[in-house]
Amino acid sequence: MEDKRIRVLLIEDDPGDADLLREALSDQKNPSFEIEHVGTVRAGLEYLSKKESDVIVSDLTVPDSQGLETFLKVHAQAPTLPIVILSGFDDGGSLALEAVRRGAQDYLVKGQVDGRFISRILRYAIERKRVEKELAHLASFAELNPNPIIEADGNGKVTYLNPVARARFSDLDELGLKHPLLADLKWVIGKLQEGNQKSFVREVAIGEQVYEQHLSYLPGKDVIRSYLLDITERKRVDQLKDDFVSTVSHELRTPLSIVKQGLSLLLDKIPGSLGEKQEKILTIAKDNIDRLARIINSLLDVSKIESGRVGLRRERLDIAHLIQQVAETFQVKMAEKTLELKVEVPQEGCGVYADADKITQVFTNLVGNAMKFTQEGYIKISAAEKGNEVECTVADTGIGISKENLPKVFDRFQQFGRTAGGGEKGTGLGLAIAKGLVELHYGTIRFQSTLGKGTQFIFTLPKYTVENVLKVLVKDGIKEMQERDSKMSLILLTFSQGQTSWQGLFPEGLPGFIEWTQGILKNGLCRQGDVVIQAPNGLAMLLAGCDKKDAQGVRMRLEEAFKEYRAKGNLSPSVTFRFGCATYPEDAKDDEGLIQVANREEGGVHAPKDSHH
Amino acid sequence: MPQKILIIDDEPDQVLLVEMRLQADGFQVISAPDGEIGLGMVHKERPDVVLLDLLMPKIDGMEVCRRLKQAPQTKHIPVILFTASGAKDIEDLRVISGADACLRKPYETEELLSMIHTLTRT
């Protein structure tokens, strides 16, 4: 094995001490030591400027320099080299310790003759310097990052700021948890600890700037690290783009409409008869005007979905019936292409909570897409209940999607597998719109594809159940409150008996009961836009813009009204009920949490005991 | 007696083509180039249906519709409101304006004709 050599630069004016060190290290092997001895700092620095060393051993008292100054001069000249101080007995080692604090790796006391010991000190000094350099390098990733980085604990105490963050957010320490960037850190920690989520992203507005904050929890240090991206410009451009799209589409529609009407007048031969060729030309013109209209509509749809300007009109929707209707509209085109259209839906129907127009659009886009890429075989539309959701599938026996295109399927303006020739031309926006619309319904969309065999698009919608409707409305509410930076309260009324018979509770049944409750709310503190709906075993009241205090007031009012109602003998004495109340964002930040808190929190009337008062 | 249709639209090309189409279908067609003249014509001519453009100078379609639906003499006259804007949901527009039906441009001629037939049947 080859002997490793460590090159030592020894700065020492006393030749005796130098010899002692050389002697002590002389029989060390692997590593062995090669010692270059100089008597002054100047000679040492001159040597370093010409030759390389692995470690410097330096006395602090030499003819051209005294004390700590000696170390500082050498260190300044050779900041990347490890330095071990050679300390005399006279200063008791305190100067040497000070040097270590200022960046020296270690010190040796003069007269030490144990070669193995000295060897270890020198090797460790070299290793420590290497680690120190590595750490400094790692720290530079954060220090030089042009984006702000913040670390803070759950109480809002800031533990790290990189220079950009320090310059931009000078009020972090002062505001603590009240600073928008540190708001709700406790909640975030809880969220990241419980789930399998590694990080959490939110948008935070600070003055004119908008940041995307990526939060992750570091369990070892019990802090949250935030990486911030300034997305102000992106937001502004998005807004410009949306405004632009909506203005342009408006300006294009009027002339487009006039051209279309002119062409269809001619084609319907109202001004006079047409030759065969003329009719063909006009038909082509009209088809392409329709295509242009589709592109404009799709562009606008995408822009509206992306900017969150699509309102949904959700209702109980029989997805089986809707699929039948969609299938009918495609019947003729499918027959023309000699494709079979299969429909597989539960006979008894299948209720989802969704907007009929929007879901029709999703199916139309998916089936239209499938048709474009299927030359023979069939297209199958199906729906089936799966747990809490309904799964809808559009499957085809078409050309499939090639591997390199798989990640781009839902991107805008992506058109692949495009075939030359006739047929309805696409806009490259259909699948992006379908995805956007499904996600607005809190559903998911995915696909499976085998090249040459076919493709399946599968999307889910919430099943129409009392639980799901409540969840969706709470989710919608939270989304809106986030945008408006406002509060919202949820009051849950739960009957102990369950909802087996609304007539038993209220003579006009559930609708009458909801109306009666709405009446009480109107007389109370609440405003328009509040929602009263059926909840599992009772009613749910969603009060937008209503804080905790107001909500408690409303709850008390409701309790009183119910007591009165009972006192009049309208409620069977065996029926008991209770009210629970939860407010966004104090009590919970998501639908499940809010419903859980409102369900848990007890309060108010525990009939029948107090029903006689 | 043929049924009388009033078109209120500031776009003469548009008016001309719709007029040709409706006349071919046997309707009597009159037109007004803006909301103000249009309102006057509704009161004078008592049309069976009003076709109304949303975006017009002076009094826009929304306001014309509101006034027609508020006045006891005109509120029974069916109004079809046209919009070139894609921003607003068409059903929302119908509810807000109080119109009997709304159409987004460009539309299919058959759609307009069947709407007119449905609204004038009673």
Side-chain angles (χ1 to χ4, degrees), chain A residues 379-394:
Chain A
I379 290 168
K380 188 169 84 184
I381 318 176
S382 54
E385 290 191 8
K386 205 163 188 188
N388 209 13
E389 295 178 320
V390 171
E391 214 173 65
C392 305
T393 308
V394 174

Side-chain angles (χ1 to χ4, degrees), chain A residues 503-520:
Chain A
Q503 264 76 19
L505 294 168
F506 201 83
E508 283 133 74
L510 177 63
F513 188 55
I514 288 181
E515 213 171 286
W516 183 72
T517 311
Q518 271 165 341
I520 301 169

Side-chain angles (χ1 to χ4, degrees), chain A residues 238-250:
Chain A
D238 275 356
Q239 184 60 45
L240 268 180
K241 184 199 71 189
D242 289 339
D243 294 348
F244 177 76
V245 168
S246 95
T247 309
V248 165
S249 84
H250 182 262

Side-chain angles (χ1 to χ4, degrees), chain A residues 407-416 428-432 435:
Chain A
K408 293 186 277 185
V409 164
F410 292 115
D411 290 357
R412 291 170 297 168
F413 299 111
Q414 289 295 332
Q415 289 184 303
F416 22 83
L429 293 167
L431 293 178
K435 181 167 188 275

Side-chain angles (χ1 to χ4, degrees), chain B residues 46-111:
Chain B
R46 298 292 151 137
D48 296 288
V49 180
V50 175
L51 307 188
L52 182 62
D53 193 39
L54 180 65
L55 203 69
M56 287 186 297
K58 288 191 252 182
I59 309 175
D60 70 4
M62 193 74 90
E63 181 60 21
V64 172
C65 193
R66 204 182 56 81
R67 291 196 200 172
L68 288 178
K69 290 298 172 190
Q70 268 175 359
Q73 314 94 294
T74 56
K75 68 175 180 193
H76 63 280
I77 302 174
V79 176
I80 302 177
L81 187 63
F82 295 87
T83 176
S85 163
K88 216 171 220 98
D89 185 276
I90 202 83
E91 182 57 23
D92 285 347
L93 181 65
R94 195 186 64 77
V95 173
I96 296 165
S97 65
D100 297 82
C102 287
L103 265 181
R104 194 190 313 280
K105 297 176 191 175
Y107 52 86
E108 297 295 331
T109 309
E110 290 72 27
E111 234 179 314

Side-chain angles (χ1 to χ4, degrees), chain A residues 303-562:
Chain A
S303 159
K304 276 198 287 187
I305 290 169
E306 284 182 354
S307 60
R309 276 185 287 128
V310 181
L312 294 185
R313 235 182 298 280
R314 292 196 188 84
E315 56 183 338
R316 189 197 180 281
L317 192 66
D318 180 5
I319 200 81
H321 180 66
L322 185 138
I323 288 176
Q324 299 284 8
Q325 282 181 325
V326 171
E328 267 169 44
T329 62
F330 278 97
Q331 213 62 274
V332 177
K333 282 185 202 160
M334 295 284 288
E336 278 170 11
K337 276 191 93 169
T338 62
L339 285 172
E340 194 190 344
L341 183 60
K342 298 183 184 179
V343 171
E344 262 180 34
V345 289
Q347 279 212 317
E348 67 281 9
C350 194
V352 295
Y353 190 49
D355 180 320
D357 286 346
K358 303 292 185 290
I359 297 306
T360 302
Q361 196 181 352
V362 172
F363 274 115
T364 305
N365 289 4
L366 292 179
V367 175
N369 196 63
M371 260 182 67
K372 248 175 268 164
F373 302 114
T374 308
Q375 300 312 320
E376 53 186 59
Y378 64 84
I379 290 168
K380 188 169 84 184
I381 318 176
S382 54
E385 290 191 8
K386 205 163 188 188
N388 209 13
E389 295 178 320
V390 171
E391 214 173 65
C392 305
T393 308
V394 174
D396 66 51
T397 55
I399 58 174
I401 302 163
S402 67
K403 214 169 184 171
E404 72 265 24
N405 287 327
L406 290 178
K408 293 186 277 185
V409 164
F410 292 115
D411 290 357
R412 291 170 297 168
F413 299 111
Q414 289 295 332
Q415 289 184 303
F416 22 83
R418 197 170 193 165
T419 43
E424 210 169 84
K425 302 280 192 306
T427 60
L429 293 167
L431 293 178
I433 292 170
K435 181 167 188 275
L437 290 177
V438 168
E439 286 171 356
L440 273 180
H441 284 85
Y442 305 116
T444 56
I445 188 165
R446 63 181 200 278
F447 65 95
Q448 292 159 0
S449 187
T450 314
L451 203 58
K453 288 259 171 68
T455 306
Q456 287 184 2
F457 279 91
I458 304 138
F459 66 93
T460 62
L461 291 173
K463 210 196 281 183
Y464 186 89
T465 60
V466 172
E467 285 89 348
N468 276 348
V469 172
L470 176 60
K471 256 198 223 168
V472 165
L473 288 176
V474 175
K475 270 186 190 161
D476 278 356
I478 289 176
K479 215 157 76 177
E480 205 186 316
M481 294 310 119
Q482 274 170 344
E483 272 162 30
R484 300 210 313 236
D485 199 17
S486 177
K487 292 170 186 268
M488 175 182 82
S489 292
L490 169 69
I491 300 180
L492 283 181
L493 160 63
T494 309
F495 290 104
S496 61
Q497 277 198 321
Q499 69 213 46
T500 39
S501 164
W502 285 103
Q503 264 76 19
L505 294 168
F506 201 83
E508 283 133 74
L510 177 63
F513 188 55
I514 288 181
E515 213 171 286
W516 183 72
T517 311
Q518 271 165 341
I520 301 169
L521 286 179
K522 280 210 187 88
N523 291 333
L525 304 143
C526 282
R527 46 214 109 178
Q528 245 188 345
D530 293 339
V531 184
V532 181
I533 53 155
Q534 191 188 353
N537 303 324
L539 288 186
M541 283 141 267
L542 263 175
L543 314 175
C546 178
D547 68 14
K548 214 172 173 66
K549 202 167 136 258
D550 285 352
Q552 294 296 353
V554 174
R555 184 175 84 170
M556 267 156 68
R557 223 195 138 78
L558 282 166
E559 282 169 5
E560 268 162 40
F562 271 74

